[in-house]
Amino acid sequence: MLLIGLAPPAQSFLRLDQLDSADQKTLPEGCAAEPAAISLDGQTVLEVRGTAGAESITSAAKRGSQTLQELARNLAIAPDDIAVKHLDGESFILLQQKGQPVRRLGMLNQRIAGCYGMEPQRLAELTRDQIRAAMVRYRQAHSLDSWLRGSALAALVLAVYVVWLRLQFRLNARIRQLIASRDRFLLQQLARLGLSALLEPAQVRRLLQGLRSAVHWGLLLLISYLLLPLLLGFFPPTQGIASGLRLQLRQLTLGLLDGVVAAIPNLLSIVVIIGLGVLVARASNSVFEALRLGRLRIPGFYREWARPTARLVAMLIAVATLVIAFPYIPGSSSRAFQGAGLFVGVFAALGSSAVAANIISGLLLIYTRAFREGDFVELNGVLGTVQDRTLLVTRVQTPHNQLVSIPNATVISNAVANYSFSRREIRQPVALACTITIGYDVPWRQVEELMLAAARSVEGVTDEMEPFVLQTALNDFHISYELTAFLRDANTYRLSLSQLHGALQDKFAEAGVEILSPGYHAVRNGNPSTVPKNTPPSLEA
């Protein structure tokens, strides 16, 4: 049972890694840079950096731990029985009991002491003191009073913990009921914050319930984890485990605090950058709002460009703010951020062609002023009112209240008929035209007069400009007449066209003129005319 090459813990002497390079060069060979620990009850008492023979420091430390435990458990051995004797440059650690032969526990020579940067006599005395102190601590910790005191404290802590658990679960249930029964309060708060159009009370309730649950279980786990080292520290056999858990918690806490303190300058930089970005975005929105309302004018910049341009500029400002602030985000150079960037890049590459085509087409539609929201248009064969115009699609509401979304790339590649453009831009009504064919036996002056009378009878036709009739073709069996009338409102285009067709039929039927459009062929062998009889409604029954 020999302790060979003992040394006190790091706080009692100079560690090898604390020596300067010159001292390290003069150290004897065989000194270990990483010491092996001699422990008692899981706590380090001594360190071994070198041995007197060929034995490894790990084996020596293991034997030393066993010997130290035997010394501490043997109550017949007093701490003062551990002594030191110096002889011929060597120091011996001895066990001297009255009435018992002297036993050598360890030997320290000049080479071993050189591993710690001190003389053998000084190192032996420190080792002796550490062994004595460890024996005293061990016996005090393993006394009956210590066990009773630890048991009582553990029972008290557990009782407090159980009471806290009951209160915590009751509080959690109470908060859950409050959140579930406050829909009206949530609705009022959303309205006050201006978020009632974005969120519903049910969504906010689910969010608050999830936050409550996360805080509840997180607090339970934290308190339970903190309770473990506290309970284990009351009993000698588990004090080493408790010390390890406390050290781990301390290192984690200090690491988090160090990380927070180190991140404060970067976080302040991010706040300043975001603040400047918000200020620039608000200034930009104010400028474009003034352009939209006409309070500010820029030559060549149309008012309908203000809102989409403001969105583009805001997007560019947001992207620029993110790019500038990204290097200051904690962990921005980590593999997690790199992986997320790669993931986003892959998705952008997969959809970039179609998305880019639609975005560019949307910009072209905006700045070529082909149409704007509220215009009555015909896009890709779809007739209706423009409800929304985004960078990707254009949405048109048809007369049947169908909302049709057309990709901007499709819109830009086809003709766009805008029926609202003339009234808005050149202050003239849009024209409505229809063509009918009448036989050569009817005088053309009579046909024109009937067509003009039909146009004037339509409610949607304006009197700002007189309608007119053109003879567009002299066909084999009939003449093509085109009637052009002008509308008050372009949004009534389909209704006015239908009313105009009805008026034409009525006027020609009253005059007894047969309409041959789009084409009608009959053998005049006594067959009746196709002109409908003008039967009074009272006779139809």
Side-chain angles (χ1 to χ4, degrees), residues 6-14 45-46 82 84 86 91 93 108 116-134:
L6 294 179
Q11 63 268 23
S12 301
F13 71 102
L14 194 61
V45 177
L46 301 169
I82 308 298
V84 172
H86 308 292
S91 298
I93 301 173
L108 300 173
Y116 306 95
M118 62 182 65
E119 293 298 323
Q121 294 84 354
R122 176 58 178 163
L123 184 58
E125 293 172 357
L126 290 176
T127 302
R128 177 201 60 195
D129 296 340
Q130 289 294 107
I131 295 174
R132 288 178 176 178

Side-chain angles (χ1 to χ4, degrees), residues 138-157:
Y138 181 87
R139 292 173 181 178
Q140 289 177 350
H142 285 263
S143 65
L144 180 59
D145 292 342
S146 178
W147 276 95
L148 293 176
R149 184 172 56 255
S151 300
L153 291 175
L156 178 62
V157 170

Side-chain angles (χ1 to χ4, degrees), residues 392-404:
L392 297 177
V393 298
T394 298
R395 296 182 177 88
V396 178
Q397 183 180 5
T398 67
H400 302 105
N401 286 331
Q402 298 170 336
L403 190 64
V404 182

Side-chain angles (χ1 to χ4, degrees), residues 179-393:
I179 295 175
S181 60
R182 294 300 181 94
D183 283 353
R184 184 176 180 182
F185 174 76
L186 293 176
L187 187 60
Q188 292 175 352
Q189 297 302 317
L190 289 175
R192 189 179 69 175
L193 296 175
L195 300 175
S196 56
L198 300 177
L199 297 173
E200 296 181 354
Q203 293 175 319
V204 179
R205 186 170 60 250
R206 287 194 297 270
L207 179 63
L208 292 177
Q209 294 287 17
L211 181 61
R212 172 199 56 77
S213 181
V215 172
H216 171 67
W217 291 107
L219 188 60
L220 284 179
L221 291 176
L222 178 61
I223 298 300
S224 300
Y225 180 79
L226 294 176
L227 185 66
L228 285 176
L230 181 60
L231 291 176
L232 294 176
F234 292 143
F235 305 100
T238 56
Q239 287 178 352
I241 301 176
S243 299
L245 291 176
R246 284 194 292 266
L247 179 61
Q248 182 183 18
L249 183 62
R250 179 175 177 273
Q251 291 176 347
L252 178 62
T253 304
L254 292 178
L256 290 176
L257 292 178
D258 291 341
V260 171
V261 172
I264 288 177
N266 288 339
L267 293 177
L268 292 177
S269 300
I270 292 174
V271 171
V272 172
I273 292 172
I274 293 177
L276 292 176
V278 170
L279 292 177
V280 173
R282 288 183 177 179
S284 172
N285 290 335
S286 300
V287 171
F288 285 110
E289 184 66 15
L291 288 172
R292 187 182 69 84
L293 298 176
R295 295 197 299 264
L296 178 64
R297 298 181 181 275
I298 298 178
F301 190 92
Y302 296 92
R303 293 172 60 179
E304 61 266 27
W305 287 355
R307 182 169 296 173
T309 306
R311 293 175 182 173
L312 290 175
V313 173
M315 186 183 301
L316 292 176
I317 292 174
V319 172
T321 302
L322 179 61
V323 171
I324 296 174
F326 183 80
Y328 297 97
I329 298 177
S332 58
S333 59
S334 64
R335 294 186 180 273
F337 271 84
Q338 294 174 1
L342 181 61
F343 182 77
V344 173
V346 169
F347 269 89
L350 291 176
S352 59
S353 58
V355 173
N358 283 295
I359 291 177
I360 294 174
S361 300
L363 293 176
L364 290 176
L365 290 173
I366 291 173
Y367 292 103
T368 55
R369 306 178 68 234
F371 54 83
R372 66 184 187 184
E373 295 178 7
D375 286 355
F376 188 76
V377 298
E378 183 177 0
L379 304 177
N380 197 32
V382 179
L383 190 69
T385 304
V386 178
Q387 292 295 316
D388 191 16
R389 179 179 60 182
T390 66
L391 289 177
L392 297 177
V393 298

Side-chain angles (χ1 to χ4, degrees), residues 443-465:
W444 63 269
R445 291 181 177 84
Q446 181 186 4
V447 174
E448 290 187 1
E449 185 64 28
L450 292 173
M451 296 180 73
L452 292 175
R456 295 188 183 98
S457 67
V458 176
E459 182 179 358
V461 173
T462 182
D463 55 0
E464 299 176 56
M465 300 179 68

